[in-house]
Amino acid sequence: MDNDRIKHLIANPNKDDAYILYWMQADQRPDHNHALAHAAHLANERQLPLICLFTVDLSFPDANERHFSFMFEGLKETFGILKKKGITPVLRQGHIEDAITPFLNDTKTIVSDVGHLRWQRMRRKALYFRLIEEENVNLYAVSGHILVPVDIASDKEEYGAYTIRPKINRLFERFLDEDTLPSLKNTSSIDLKSDIDINKYHGFLSKTSFSDRVKKVKTFTGGPGAAKQKLDDFLKNKLNRYDDANDPGKTLNSKLSPYLHFGQISPLAIIRAV
């Protein structure tokens, strides 16, 4: 993994953690996940178990049933894979700066992925200011949601694709880097309760304030597996006609946009496959 993906935002000497905690935000997938891979590396260095925490934030702007159903479908699949790899997934409701509090009794080593929406940046900033109040905390932010980390691609405001594209093209081969999840040396399961049963998320959604808004669609199913199927179909049946993809009548687009948005597939995995 390229070291420029990793930012050690709060650095202190390691203490006696019970586990390493990865806060999954933007990269909602078990594979091709640089932040998860880095968290596993930290866990293996100290022979510790690994926790994956996901926070469900119903105050997300314009939240609706379609978005959350797609997201929960993906999380259900991802959590199942993580368990098989010896990683303990936990689902909590609320803002991360509040949800993190009970975990700080057992760990002071937290790894976050890096999303770029305004809301995601706000929550990471709130987490940072929450953690600097604590002693002996180590906070890492690992960029893997896009190919080239933003701060590496450019150090100034860009006015259009024509100005930033050459910069990315000069760097992208460098960031076709390793992102394989290492096998955990300590696969001990940690007894932590989730606020939401991922296998019964339909019941949870039916009680939310946005349950009568934009409904789930049947044409898209969330999850890394479904994303892989869309990618395979694109490579097999559409890539050789990509020059015509802007014609909406030919339906040659990849249909990967929602999977990229929720981090259920990595842009790096797509580039490698292409």
Side-chain angles (χ1 to χ4, degrees), residues 63-187:
N64 61 64
E65 182 181 348
R66 182 174 300 172
H67 290 157
F68 273 81
S69 293
F70 188 90
M71 183 184 77
F72 276 126
E73 287 171 348
L75 288 174
K76 182 178 178 180
E77 179 183 348
T78 291
F79 279 15
I81 296 171
L82 291 180
K83 286 181 179 179
K84 292 180 180 179
K85 294 179 180 291
I87 300 167
T88 302
V90 185
L91 200 58
R92 294 287 169 87
Q93 188 176 344
H95 292 166
I96 181 60
E97 62 269 28
D98 302 319
I100 196 70
T101 298
F103 295 93
L104 296 176
N105 294 324
D106 297 313
T107 186
K108 296 296 179 71
T109 305
I110 295 98
V111 179
S112 170
D113 53 39
V114 178
H116 301 283
L117 296 177
R118 181 183 293 113
W119 189 261
Q120 293 169 331
R121 299 198 309 270
M122 285 172 53
R123 296 277 67 86
R124 283 201 310 279
K125 185 176 181 179
L127 174 64
Y128 173 84
F129 282 108
R130 168 67 183 87
L131 292 180
I132 60 175
E133 300 173 359
E134 298 285 326
E135 295 182 357
N136 303 317
V137 164
N138 281 279
L139 174 62
Y140 299 85
V142 183
S143 177
H145 194 65
I146 57 178
L147 186 67
V148 180
V150 168
D151 57 327
I152 303 299
S154 177
D155 60 358
K156 66 177 184 179
E157 181 178 2
E158 299 289 343
Y159 296 97
Y162 73 95
T163 64
I164 195 172
R165 184 180 288 120
K167 297 179 180 181
I168 292 174
N169 286 341
R170 286 194 293 268
L171 290 167
F172 91 92
E173 288 189 359
R174 170 184 163 191
F175 288 98
L176 296 177
D177 53 345
E178 180 62 39
D179 58 358
T180 302
L181 179 65
S183 298
L184 284 183
K185 297 177 181 178
N186 187 336
T187 57

Side-chain angles (χ1 to χ4, degrees), residues 32-71:
H32 306 293
N33 184 331
H34 288 90
L36 179 60
H38 183 63
H41 174 72
L42 294 176
N44 283 344
E45 279 187 338
R46 299 168 62 193
Q47 301 282 327
L48 294 174
L50 178 56
I51 301 294
C52 174
L53 169 66
F54 189 90
T55 50
V56 177
D57 190 351
L58 295 180
S59 62
F60 192 90
D62 298 321
N64 61 64
E65 182 181 348
R66 182 174 300 172
H67 290 157
F68 273 81
S69 293
F70 188 90
M71 183 184 77

